[in-house]
Amino acid sequence: MRAFGRPQGLLGRLGGTIMARMNADCGAWVVELLEVEADDSVLEVGFGPGAVMQRLSGLVSAGSVVGVDPSAEMVEQARSRNAAAVRSGHIDPQLGSVERLPFGNDSFDKALAINSMQVWPDAIAGLREIRRVLKPRGRIALGFTAYSGQPNEGLAEKLTAAGFAGASLVKTDKWFCALATKP
């Protein structure tokens, strides 16, 4: 947990470096599946060191990228990695948790989480909170690497239980992603 779940201290800094390398390709794949467009407002939950936010920044030229992460260490790394985009207001990495997202209802077009749902205290409650902040017809993508510790069984059912529609699972030999839409 100190290195990857809620990174802090020296182990957290090391964990952030590892996460940036290990999750980048999976994150790119998930962003592609999510079909992010230039004017989207995108929420990333558990953004870690900000590598996927960096990719999103290049795609969302007329929109915005906002994220929450429960680790002050990861917020610092994400701000550093994306310093120019943070200064311009294009990216906003915030300290926070999926249980209480500090955003109004219907705020985002897309939401994603890479290798983070498995450390949420209550996955269904977190998914309901993400659904609350997504706009109608907003899309969610939950991506995981093979080493995440998250089983792919039951993910679509969790999305459905949280009120999402059209839940499906996409798998490769290295990654898997659950996708759904807010009705």
Side-chain angles (χ1 to χ4, degrees), residues 137-153:
R137 292 174 304 286
R139 298 190 65 219
I140 184 173
L142 304 168
F144 302 91
T145 58
Y147 57 82
S148 69
Q150 172 69 45
N152 61 28
E153 296 82 18

Side-chain angles (χ1 to χ4, degrees), residues 15-44:
T17 301
I18 293 169
M19 282 188 272
R21 290 187 183 141
M22 300 296 281
N23 293 343
D25 290 341
C26 178
W29 177 68
V30 170
V31 166
E32 186 177 309
L33 290 173
L34 194 54
E35 299 175 345
V36 172
E37 297 177 13
D39 62 346
D40 280 340
S41 55
V42 182
L43 169 65
E44 184 176 4

Side-chain angles (χ1 to χ4, degrees), residues 8 38 67 157 179:
Q8 58 183 333
E157 292 78 6
L179 298 157

Side-chain angles (χ1 to χ4, degrees), residues 1-182:
M1 284 294 280
R2 289 189 68 204
F4 300 110
R6 296 193 193 268
Q8 58 183 333
L10 181 59
L11 283 177
R13 285 190 292 282
L14 177 61
T17 301
I18 293 169
M19 282 188 272
R21 290 187 183 141
M22 300 296 281
N23 293 343
D25 290 341
C26 178
W29 177 68
V30 170
V31 166
E32 186 177 309
L33 290 173
L34 194 54
E35 299 175 345
V36 172
E37 297 177 13
D39 62 346
D40 280 340
S41 55
V42 182
L43 169 65
E44 184 176 4
V45 175
F47 53 74
V52 176
M53 288 184 103
Q54 187 174 32
R55 174 175 289 280
L56 285 166
S57 176
L59 297 172
V60 183
S61 57
S64 62
V65 179
V66 178
V68 295
D69 197 288
S71 166
E73 179 65 40
M74 292 301 97
V75 172
E76 182 181 317
Q77 285 191 29
R79 286 181 185 273
S80 177
R81 171 174 272 110
N82 297 289
V86 169
R87 278 192 303 277
S88 74
H90 189 61
I91 289 182
D92 185 12
Q94 301 179 21
L95 187 63
S97 68
V98 70
E99 298 88 25
R100 287 176 301 286
L101 294 171
F103 313 109
N105 296 347
D106 305 329
S107 295
F108 297 96
D109 300 298
K110 310 276 171 61
L112 73 153
I114 308 296
N115 277 352
S116 75
M117 192 180 85
Q118 69 273 21
V119 298
W120 298 354
D122 182 337
I124 300 294
L127 291 171
R128 285 184 181 134
E129 183 67 352
I130 293 171
R131 184 175 52 81
R132 178 186 69 77
V133 302
L134 274 174
K135 295 175 183 176
R137 292 174 304 286
R139 298 190 65 219
I140 184 173
L142 304 168
F144 302 91
T145 58
Y147 57 82
S148 69
Q150 172 69 45
N152 61 28
E153 296 82 18
L155 278 176
E157 292 78 6
K158 285 182 182 179
L159 284 162
T160 301
F164 286 97
S168 64
L169 188 68
V170 180
K171 296 189 274 187
T172 74
D173 59 336
K174 295 190 261 183
W175 312 307
F176 57 97
C177 180
L179 298 157
T181 303
K182 178 179 177 176

